[in-house]
Amino acid sequence: MKRKLGGDDVVPTYAKRSRPVNKPPRTMNELLSFILDHEEAFQSRGRLASLYSDFRSQIHTNPDGYYANIAAWKKALADAARAGVIPCQGAAHDLLTIRTGDELSRALASNEYGRPMALGVVIGDAVSKKEMVPLNEFLASKTSIYNRSWVPTPRQVISWGLRQLGVIGAPGSQDRLAVGNFVVMANVEAAASNVLKQMSSRKSNVDLVFSRSTFATEFANTLDSSHALTQVDLNILLTHLARDKQSVSFDSKTVKFKQDSHTLPSPITHQDATIANLRDLISSMNTQIPPLTARIATLDATARAAVASKTMTAAKSALRSKKLAEATLVRRTDTLAQLEEVFAKIEQAADQVEIIKVMEASSTVLKGLNKEIGGAEGVEGVVDALKEEMSKVDEVSGIINEVGQEGVVDETEVDEEFETREKREQEEAEQTRVRLEELEKLDQERKEKKRAETERNRLEEQKIRDAEAAQKASTTEEDSFLEQASQEMGSMSLNETDSEQAEKPTEPVAAS
C-alpha cells in the first residue's frame, strides 16, 4: 500500500520507520534538530525531500501536496518558535515572532537536501491567511486583526510577496527571503488564552491591577515552562489582549484586567497606578527578607567560630554586622507589615466602592420604579379608587338580587320532587331485576327441555339401531338355515333318483 506525500514522491506507508532520515548529530543545528525530532511530517525521507524541494509548481500539478507541504512548514516553524529555537539576534529567543532571512534559511539547511527552496512561499501563504503578521504592522494597527479589513486582496498578497519576501524567479529557482519579523498568531492566541485562564480565578478588583514588571514576572512562562517571554513578546501579548481580546487596558507602567461584570476594560486611573506600585513595593520587600535572614544566620555562625578560636576582633566584627542586619530585618519586616495592612485596606475600600456603585445603581432603579407608580400617595389613590369601584359592584349585585327574589325556587319542593323521582327509579330498577330473573329462569328451563329431548332422541335412535342389528342377524341365520336345508333336500333328491334308476328293468332293444 502506498500513499502520496506532499510532493511528487510516492513512498510506502512504513517509510517513516524503515527509512529513517539521516541525522548528522555533530553538524546539525538546534532548530533543524528540533524539527526532525518533534514534527511527524519531517520524519520520512521521501516526505523530507519533498518539503525541501521547490514545490511551488505543484500548485497546478499536485495542489493537495502543495498545501500539505505548506501546512507542515507553518506548524514546524510555529512549534519551533514556541520552543525558543528560532535564530535571533540577541541572547533571548522570542517565542511569539519569527525572524526570516538568510539566517533562518541557513539554520534549516540539511546536509542531504540543502536549504528549503520554497520557504518564501510558506511565509507568504501564512501572511495571506493572517497566520503570520509583520511585527511593525501588528503593533501599529489600531483595528483588531480579526477585522475584515485585515484580509488582503490577492493583488496585495502578490505585491507583498514580491516586495517584502523576495519570492522572485520562475518555479524551480531557490527562494531568497528578505529579512523581517513576523508575529506567529497561533502562539499569541495560545499565550493569551493561558493568561486569561490564570486570571479567571481572581475576583478582587485589586488583584486585577499589575505593574508592567509584575505582569512580566507573573506570566513569563505562560507559553512554555522552559522559556520566558521576552519584552517583545510581552508587548505583542498586551497589544493582543487589549486590542483584539478587549480584556485589558495598559500603559507604559500599569496593566489592568477587565472586571467580569464589565463589557470593556476601564481606563487606567491614578489609583490603579498607585495600587500597582504598592504591589511592586510589597513584592520587593518580600524578596529582601530571605537574604537578610540568611545573612544573620551566617554572621552568627561566623561569630561563634571566632569565639571558639579566640579571635575576638573577628567575633566582635561579626556580631556588629549581625546586629546591623537584625535591625535592618526588623525595619523591613515592620515596613512590610505596614504596607500589607495598607494594601488590605485599599482592597477593602475598592470592594466597598463596587458595593456602593451597585447600591447606587439599585437606588436609581428603585427611584425610577417608584416614580412610575407615583410614590406612596399614588398607591393610596389607586387603592382608594379600587375600593370605590369594588363597592359599586357590590351595590349593583344587591339590586340585582332584590329584583330576582320573586322567582326564588322553593328548596322543599325541589327535595320532594327529587325523592319522588328517586323512588320511581328504584321501583323501575326492581321491576327490571325481577323481569331479568324470570327471563333467566325461562331460558334455563328451555335449555333443560332441549337437553332432555336430545337425550330421548338419542335413546330412540340407539333402539332402532339395535333392532336393525338384531333383525339383520336373524335374517342371516334364517338364510343360512334355508340354504343348509336346501342343500340337504337336493342331496336327498339325487339319491332317490339314483335308486329308482337302479331298480328299473332293462328293456330289449327292437330290431331295425
Side-chain angles (χ1 to χ4, degrees), residues 381-403:
V382 172
V383 172
D384 292 341
L386 179 62
K387 288 181 178 180
E388 183 178 355
E389 297 301 324
M390 291 174 64
S391 64
K392 291 179 181 180
V393 173
D394 293 337
E395 291 178 1
V396 173
S397 299
I399 295 172
I400 294 174
N401 291 334
E402 290 177 359
V403 173

Side-chain angles (χ1 to χ4, degrees), residues 451-504:
R451 283 198 300 269
E453 184 177 356
T454 302
E455 182 66 18
R456 185 167 60 253
N457 292 336
R458 188 185 65 77
L459 293 175
E460 289 178 357
E461 290 177 357
Q462 184 65 34
K463 288 179 180 181
I464 292 173
R465 284 196 298 271
D466 293 343
E468 289 177 352
Q471 183 178 2
K472 184 177 180 181
S474 176
T475 302
T476 303
E477 186 176 348
E478 289 178 358
D479 291 343
S480 177
F481 177 76
L482 289 176
E483 183 178 358
Q484 184 178 359
S486 175
Q487 290 178 356
E488 290 180 355
M489 290 180 66
S491 177
M492 291 177 62
S493 176
L494 289 174
N495 291 334
E496 289 178 357
T497 303
D498 290 339
S499 298
E500 290 179 355
Q501 288 180 357
E503 292 179 356
K504 184 177 181 181

Side-chain angles (χ1 to χ4, degrees), residues 301-318:
T302 303
R304 291 178 182 276
V307 170
S309 62
K310 296 181 180 182
T311 310
M312 302 309 295
T313 303
K316 289 180 180 180
S317 177

